[in-house]
Amino acid sequence: MSIQQEKIKELVDRRASARMGGGEKRIEAQHAKGKLTARERLALLLDEGSFEETDMFVQHRCTNFGMEKSHPDGDGVVTGRGTIEGRPVYVYAQDFTVSGGSLSKTMSEKICKVMDMAVRNGAPVIGLNDSGGARIQEGIDALAGFGDIFEHNILASGVVPQISGIFGPCAGGAVYSPALTDFTLMVKDTSYMFLTGPAVVKSVTGEDVSSEDLGGATVHATKSGVADFAAENEQEGLATIKRLLSFLPQNNLETAPEKPTQDPVGRMADYLNEVIPDNPNKAYDMYGVIRSIVDDGDFFEVHAAFAKNIIVGFAHMGGRSVGIVANQPQVLAGVLDINASRKAARFVRFCDAFNIPLVTLVDVPGFLPGTQQEYGAVIQNGAKLLYAYGEATVPKVTVTLRKAYGGAHIVMSCKQLRSDINYAWPTAQIAVMGADGAVNVLYAKDIKADPEHAAQIRADKKEEYEKLFNNPYQAAQKGYIEDIIEPRNTRFRVIRALESLKDKRQEMPAKKHDNLPL
């Protein structure tokens, strides 16, 4: 065998060894937990044969606590680039079979390097997390590595889409990188996220809680809102990431790819002419409205299990990707509260950062009252949504279906927040408050002065108020809405509006950065 052949064989053997990660036994242990390896995940995520690995032979530089005895190639993370449905992406996947996926300084350098490549080349970056946290043996170097990753997350924010998949443990400082990215997906039963684990919680507070109950996928998808998606298994999780990307542009200078459809732009949805109940206090399902107006009835919801009184997600209309924000009358009558406000605000800001038009469907009776909401800063959280709509420069089309009362009307992309085109259905009620509340305020003295006829006074004044405000014509007369439209024609009117706005240009005042009410 020649020297060249020996060198080639050495290379082949090194590559084969690196691809085995921590070895056969640790791979079997990973599978026994119902988890895939880092490379298996990337193989499912990326187009077949498209993955180009970087830094396969990087090794850690730690010499403490026996670490000098083992220097595995790759150092616990697989990084590189590939394609998803032909579109370039940059990826990193932590390998739990190597030192528990713990983060070293060299691992952070690999991750930061691939993130730099993503920003330079204008492509999304996807991180698949499965790590025991900072590598204790490296001390401050491991912490510095986390800090480097966080800074790269911050600098890439709003430049390229960043998606985090949590496919195992993610604890301590490691949780901040997913929190800084645009979307976070978790897998039920096999992934968790928390700053302090169950043992620390018990020692400090005395509370006995499992990892799943403290920071599992269901908890973060329903209670904290940390997770945008909770998948049943890893295969579903990876498929969800791929579907999400189909609605997004490559970067902040591009628009999302169009999706051809046979669904006619002028398709009428007769169902919508019957959807609003005669009783104004009766609920209906906003999902039916959304699916009636988007292409092929296909709606991809984000944060589906959190703050269900508001719906956010992606769809296509006339082949173009749009972000949908809609109140849900079936949950808390569609009121806005703390969680709904921050959920929607986050989504609106993402769409604005990445040139995705916003379609807002309004049926909101107000903000949720009560001490819990006020003490929890509903004012500031509501202001987040108001701010997000007000600063957004993407095309904004708003349709008021029924109620739009008080401050909630303003917050939900009203004309004064620079919404481009505002429509209303004939059933729209745009006012400071509902008829019952208004009568109690405006005619309190009359009612108190004549208790014998109080019920009749209320009924008469309520009818008078409803004639004046419980219709969209006053708003139309004053130019606050562009048109009152027939419900079944909503799809056509919204798509035509978006078409007229496709070349929209709107500048913001010069500033270093804004001061969002966090």
Side-chain angles (χ1 to χ4, degrees):
M1 184 181 295
S2 68
I3 294 176
Q4 182 175 359
Q5 289 174 326
E6 288 179 357
K7 295 295 184 183
I8 292 172
K9 183 178 184 305
E10 180 185 6
L11 171 63
V12 170
D13 291 343
R14 285 283 295 268
R15 284 188 180 277
S17 177
R19 291 192 182 102
M20 289 299 293
E24 193 66 44
K25 287 186 178 180
R26 291 185 179 178
I27 291 174
E28 289 175 0
Q30 183 85 339
H31 289 164
K33 296 175 184 176
K35 297 165 61 178
L36 301 174
T37 66
R39 293 180 184 278
E40 288 169 341
R41 290 165 182 156
L42 291 177
L44 286 174
L45 177 68
L46 302 172
D47 296 339
E48 186 175 357
S50 70
F51 183 53
E52 291 288 338
E53 188 169 352
T54 58
D55 294 329
M56 176 183 273
F57 300 118
V58 165
Q59 298 180 351
H60 71 79
R61 299 183 289 269
C62 181
T63 58
N64 301 324
F65 301 102
M67 289 296 293
E68 72 279 1
K69 298 177 182 178
S70 176
H71 292 81
D73 286 334
D75 196 26
V77 65
V78 183
T79 60
R81 64 185 182 277
T83 61
I84 295 177
E85 296 183 357
R87 301 170 65 199
V89 295
Y90 287 82
V91 294
Y92 66 88
Q94 292 174 323
D95 187 350
F96 196 80
T97 70
V98 178
S99 300
S102 60
L103 188 117
S104 66
K105 189 66 170 66
T106 48
M107 181 193 286
S108 75
E109 289 169 356
K110 287 182 65 174
I111 293 172
C112 290
K113 183 176 180 179
V114 85
M115 292 174 72
D116 282 337
M117 295 169 70
V119 171
R120 281 199 305 269
N121 293 288
V125 59
I126 303 167
L128 306 182
N129 295 260
D130 188 2
S131 169
R135 192 168 295 172
I136 298 172
Q137 297 91 331
E138 292 205 9
I140 187 64
D141 281 342
L143 299 180
F146 272 129
D148 288 337
I149 293 172
F150 303 157
E151 180 67 6
H152 278 71
N153 287 135
I154 293 165
L155 294 177
S157 182
V159 181
V160 296
Q162 299 181 78
I163 301 171
S164 296
I166 314 302
F167 288 86
C170 184
V175 299
Y176 285 120
S177 179
L180 290 167
T181 60
D182 298 307
F183 297 98
T184 299
L185 177 142
M186 297 183 70
V187 178
K188 294 179 182 179
D189 300 323
T190 59
S191 70
Y192 56 80
M193 296 176 70
F194 40 65
L195 279 169
T196 53
V200 176
V201 169
K202 186 171 184 178
S203 67
V204 174
T205 70
E207 186 180 7
D208 197 355
V209 62
S210 67
S211 293
E212 184 66 24
D213 290 337
L214 180 63
T218 300
V219 168
H220 285 311
T222 62
K223 295 183 179 181
S224 73
V226 168
D228 298 276
F229 308 97
E232 294 294 333
N233 52 56
E234 296 197 10
Q235 291 82 355
E236 180 185 301
L238 294 166
T240 300
I241 291 174
K242 294 168 75 168
R243 180 155 156 70
L244 170 61
L245 279 171
S246 70
F247 293 94
L248 311 184
Q250 290 291 95
N251 55 65
N252 64 335
L253 299 179
E254 298 183 12
T255 57
E258 294 191 16
K259 181 182 179 182
T261 178
Q262 299 299 315
D263 194 353
V265 169
R267 169 177 55 79
M268 297 287 186
D270 291 332
Y271 155 79
L272 298 181
N273 278 11
E274 305 291 335
V275 73
I276 302 295
D278 291 337
N279 182 346
N281 296 318
K282 189 174 181 180
Y284 61 94
D285 190 0
M286 187 62 79
Y287 287 111
V289 176
I290 294 171
R291 294 192 177 100
S292 293
I293 67 173
V294 301
D295 291 354
D296 306 305
D298 185 23
F299 176 58
F300 180 68
E301 189 171 5
V302 177
H303 255 148
F306 178 70
K308 293 183 178 182
N309 42 322
I310 201 161
I311 300 167
V312 301
F314 298 104
H316 289 94
M317 297 193 73
R320 291 189 178 90
S321 184
V322 298
I324 304 284
V325 180
N327 306 110
Q328 171 57 299
Q330 282 195 333
V331 181
L332 295 174
V335 298
L336 290 172
D337 60 3
I338 292 169
N339 288 339
S341 296
R342 63 188 183 94
K343 166 183 170 177
R346 173 77 170 167
F347 182 77
V348 168
R349 283 173 65 83
F350 174 83
C351 290
D352 186 47
F354 290 101
N355 310 311
I356 299 173
L358 288 159
V359 175
T360 305
L361 305 176
V362 182
D363 188 348
V364 59
F367 279 89
L368 184 64
T371 55
Q372 184 177 7
Q373 289 292 307
E374 297 295 349
Y375 296 167
V378 67
I379 295 171
Q380 200 165 41
N381 283 279
K384 292 176 185 176
L385 180 53
L386 187 156
Y387 199 105
Y389 270 123
E391 73 168 350
T393 59
V394 293
K396 293 180 285 188
V397 179
T398 302
V399 183
T400 301
L401 282 59
R402 187 169 61 173
K403 299 176 183 178
Y405 293 157
H409 157 70
I410 300 171
V411 168
M412 290 296 295
S413 195
C414 70
K415 180 61 67 176
Q416 290 69 39
L417 295 183
R418 302 191 305 177
S419 178
D420 296 291
I421 297 178
N422 290 54
Y423 293 130
W425 285 5
T427 45
Q429 305 169 13
I430 305 172
V432 175
M433 62 177 65
D436 288 326
V439 168
N440 287 335
V441 173
L442 295 172
Y443 302 101
K445 290 183 179 179
D446 296 344
I447 293 169
K448 186 176 181 180
D450 191 359
E452 184 179 348
H453 300 95
Q456 187 60 47
I457 293 171
R458 281 196 180 92
D460 292 344
K461 296 303 182 182
K462 180 179 176 181
E463 182 180 356
E464 180 183 334
Y465 184 89
E466 287 178 342
K467 285 181 180 179
L468 185 61
F469 291 112
N470 280 8
N471 63 74
Y473 294 100
Q474 190 177 80
Q477 290 165 7
K478 296 183 178 182
Y480 296 145
I481 59 176
E482 271 66 40
D483 199 2
I484 301 166
I485 63 174
E486 187 177 356
R488 67 176 187 155
N489 204 26
T490 302
R491 169 177 166 81
F492 173 69
R493 297 301 296 272
V494 170
I495 292 175
R496 176 179 275 187
L498 292 171
E499 176 69 21
S500 73
L501 296 167
K502 67 179 182 179
D503 296 320
K504 175 186 175 183
R505 295 290 182 269
Q506 188 169 34
E507 299 295 328
M508 294 289 287
K511 62 180 83 173
K512 182 178 179 181
H513 61 76
D514 56 32
N515 189 19
L516 176 72
L518 298 173

